[in-house]
Amino acid sequence: DGFVNMMNEKAAEIGCTNTHFTNPNGLHDAEHYTTCRDLALIAKYYFSYEYLASLAREPSCEFVATPTQKDSFKLNTKNMLVKGKKYEYEYLVGSKTRYTSDARQTLVSAAKKDGMELICVIMKEESPYQFEDTVALFNYGFENFKKVNIAEHAEDGNVLSTGFFSVGQDIFGSNRSILTIDPSAYVVLPKNGDFADVEYDLSYNEEGSTNQVAKISYLYHGNPVGVANLSMNADHAVLFEEFNKDDPSKKEEEGTSEGASD
């Protein structure tokens, strides 16, 4: 029960909104449920760990006898997407099968091609179509969509191109923006999509405990296509204290001046 509680807490932590676990094995229970969206979020979290991803693409596993398990044996996966199987998918990151008589065939997979990662969730399917549909959906995604770096398109509709966050030419002769976008952030657009058509929504970081100022959520025709963190530009985020910390005369003046108040 304690482990199941941890599962539910982790699911909520990573953004699942319609998932509830009652056991750790996935066997049928009326109160044990999830959705395609939530499974995709769980898969994104899982496949972010390379070791776990590698386990989810192994064609077989050998179990060695231990003091508490006396047999040595080998199990072969029933996942037909992995290497050497009928529907082997060359871009597969990892994949997990599941079946019960109530849920039918379920398959959750991740694939990566040309730097773009996709997740596919198949539910309530009959074999072997969970594999065929996964391959078809992955191929559709890779053939019809592209990954676009946000920072590289600052002049094509990026929030920084508005000039709102520019300080103009400062005392150092620089006119760069005081803010910077995560250089690794990207959006996923249709192959014929233009970054200039992407809209954005800004949400500010109210915690004030990090260098992150805000998060930018990007939309394409109303659909979320990516997010990026907006941070203070390290080259321009100079604190007032830094001007004084190496100036003994300034420190002395601060310490001896009369009439100073808090």
Side-chain angles (χ1 to χ4, degrees):
D1 290 341
F3 188 79
V4 172
N5 289 337
M6 292 170 64
M7 291 169 62
N8 286 315
E9 289 172 1
K10 178 59 71 172
E13 178 186 318
I14 63 177
C16 296
T17 56
N18 199 14
T19 291
H20 183 260
F21 300 117
T22 59
N23 61 64
N25 52 47
L27 296 180
H28 181 73
D29 185 298
E31 296 302 314
H32 188 97
Y33 54 82
T34 188
T35 65
C36 284
R37 172 191 176 275
D38 285 1
L39 274 182
L41 290 173
I42 294 170
K44 180 181 179 181
Y45 182 83
Y46 179 95
F47 289 118
S48 68
Y49 293 91
E50 171 53 30
Y51 176 70
L52 297 180
S54 69
L55 295 179
R57 59 176 181 264
E58 282 293 326
S60 64
C61 183
E62 294 189 12
F63 293 82
V64 180
T66 69
T68 57
Q69 200 296 110
K70 301 299 183 182
D71 299 321
S72 294
F73 58 94
K74 179 179 181 180
L75 288 180
N76 295 311
T77 184
K78 295 181 180 180
N79 193 331
M80 297 290 105
L81 294 181
V82 303
K83 188 175 182 179
K85 300 294 184 176
K86 181 177 180 180
Y87 297 99
E88 176 183 343
Y89 195 66
E90 63 177 312
Y91 305 113
L92 189 71
V93 171
S95 182
K96 182 66 183 77
T97 61
R98 189 56 180 165
Y99 172 86
T100 68
S101 57
D102 295 279
R104 311 306 294 170
Q105 297 289 351
T106 300
L107 185 63
V108 180
S109 311
K112 183 176 183 178
K113 180 182 179 183
D114 298 332
M116 184 168 70
E117 297 175 84
L118 300 179
I119 291 172
C120 180
V121 178
I122 301 290
M123 300 177 73
K124 205 78 174 180
E125 186 60 280
E126 301 300 328
S127 192
Y129 301 116
Q130 72 270 35
F131 305 114
E132 294 183 1
D133 290 350
T134 294
V135 171
L137 286 167
F138 274 145
N139 287 341
Y140 175 84
F142 288 129
E143 291 170 4
N144 291 279
F145 294 86
K146 60 184 178 180
K147 181 178 177 180
V148 180
N149 183 278
I150 295 172
E152 293 177 359
H153 290 75
E155 303 304 320
D156 302 326
N158 189 299
V159 63
L160 296 185
S161 68
T162 63
F164 182 77
F165 295 109
S166 176
V167 294
Q169 193 171 56
D170 58 25
I171 60 174
F172 302 105
S174 172
N175 58 3
R176 291 176 58 194
S177 171
I178 61 174
L179 299 177
T180 183
I181 283 184
D182 179 1
S184 64
Y186 64 90
V187 294
V188 174
L189 302 176
K191 280 287 178 70
N192 61 353
D194 192 331
F195 191 87
D197 297 326
V198 175
E199 299 176 334
Y200 61 83
D201 181 59
L202 204 60
S203 58
Y204 292 93
N205 177 21
E206 297 180 355
E207 296 180 2
S209 58
T210 68
N211 196 40
Q212 180 182 324
V213 176
K215 181 176 75 173
I216 312 172
S217 300
Y218 290 88
L219 302 171
Y220 183 78
H221 293 176
N223 298 301
V225 291
V227 296
N229 290 328
L230 193 62
S231 305
M232 291 296 295
N233 191 329
D235 294 337
H236 289 72
V238 181
L239 301 177
F240 289 111
E241 289 83 354
E242 293 185 13
F243 287 104
N244 301 331
K245 66 181 181 180
D246 296 321
D247 189 343
S249 62
K250 185 65 176 177
K251 293 179 181 179
E252 182 179 351
E253 179 183 338
E254 291 174 348
T256 59
S257 59
E258 297 179 359
S261 60
D262 293 334

